[in-house]
Amino acid sequence: MSIQRTLSIIKPDATRRNLTRVINEHLKRSGLKVVAQKRLLLTKAQAAKFYEVHAERPFFSELCEYMTSGQVVVQVLQAEDAVSLNRKVMGATNPEEAEAGSIRAEYALNITENSVHGSDSLENARIEIAFFFAEFELVV
Ligand code: CMP
């Protein structure tokens, strides 16, 4: 195990309901430290690029539409084993399958409006962090 960084996104369904602070408290309680954070309104092109691995999936256009429907908060989280820790803290993609007490079980509305995104591997974490943050923004 080692100290890792992972990318987190608080999605439009959560920012619309003013859940940013509550979700940040949940992350902190779970041992994930927010080391960088900014609030953005993504363009369609940015959302499509970020989620390009899903471009052939049937939900892709709905996903891009949704991710540009409101503000997002992009974050870099740091912890021991941060990638898998954050996946556990978020819960399953589909909130109906998410473990009780996880962020998605508590706050997600459905499989699209599922409140948070988290990198699924260390390699993708590096790619996703670089997508949103310059090295000089990561000061810890
Ligand atoms: P996220 O972890 O951000 O990664 C891809 C997103 O696509 C996922 O969360 C959901 O918001 C969205 N999505 C919508 N439908 C599906 C589906 N059937 N399977 C996986 N992801 C889906």
Side-chain angles (χ1 to χ4, degrees):
M1 297 222 292
S2 59
I3 298 288
Q4 297 175 347
R5 286 173 174 172
T6 190
L7 185 88
S8 163
I9 306 178
I10 302 178
K11 296 186 178 183
D13 71 272
T15 62
R16 263 194 282 280
R17 289 177 288 152
N18 295 317
L19 291 172
T20 301
R21 190 172 53 85
V22 174
I23 289 174
N24 275 349
E25 281 165 0
H26 198 125
L27 294 171
K28 188 175 175 188
R29 227 180 17 253
S30 308
L32 288 152
K33 183 175 179 186
V34 179
V35 296
Q37 171 169 292
K38 56 192 172 190
R39 185 175 284 262
L40 304 172
L41 192 54
L42 297 179
T43 64
K44 287 269 158 50
Q46 287 169 328
K49 180 75 186 149
F50 182 78
Y51 279 118
E52 69 181 349
V53 295
H54 297 302
E56 303 305 321
R57 308 285 290 275
F59 56 82
F60 182 67
S61 71
E62 186 189 358
L63 173 61
C64 293
E65 199 65 46
Y66 159 64
M67 288 298 289
T68 56
S69 69
Q71 298 176 3
V72 296
V73 175
V74 295
Q75 311 175 298
V76 178
L77 308 180
Q78 183 170 294
E80 186 91 18
D81 228 5
V83 174
S84 65
L85 175 57
N86 187 41
R87 303 282 295 173
K88 186 169 169 46
V89 170
M90 286 192 304
T93 305
N94 184 347
E96 286 174 18
E97 293 162 13
E99 200 181 322
S102 65
I103 291 174
R104 284 167 171 162
E106 298 268 320
Y107 306 113
L109 302 175
N110 53 59
I111 196 167
T112 300
E113 298 172 294
N114 64 354
S115 297
V116 282
H117 165 83
S119 309
D120 64 1
S121 67
L122 191 53
E123 188 191 351
N124 282 338
R126 292 200 180 99
I127 293 167
E128 293 182 355
I129 289 169
F131 186 90
F132 286 112
F133 292 92
E135 196 56 45
F136 68 81
E137 293 178 280
L138 307 172
V139 291
V140 173

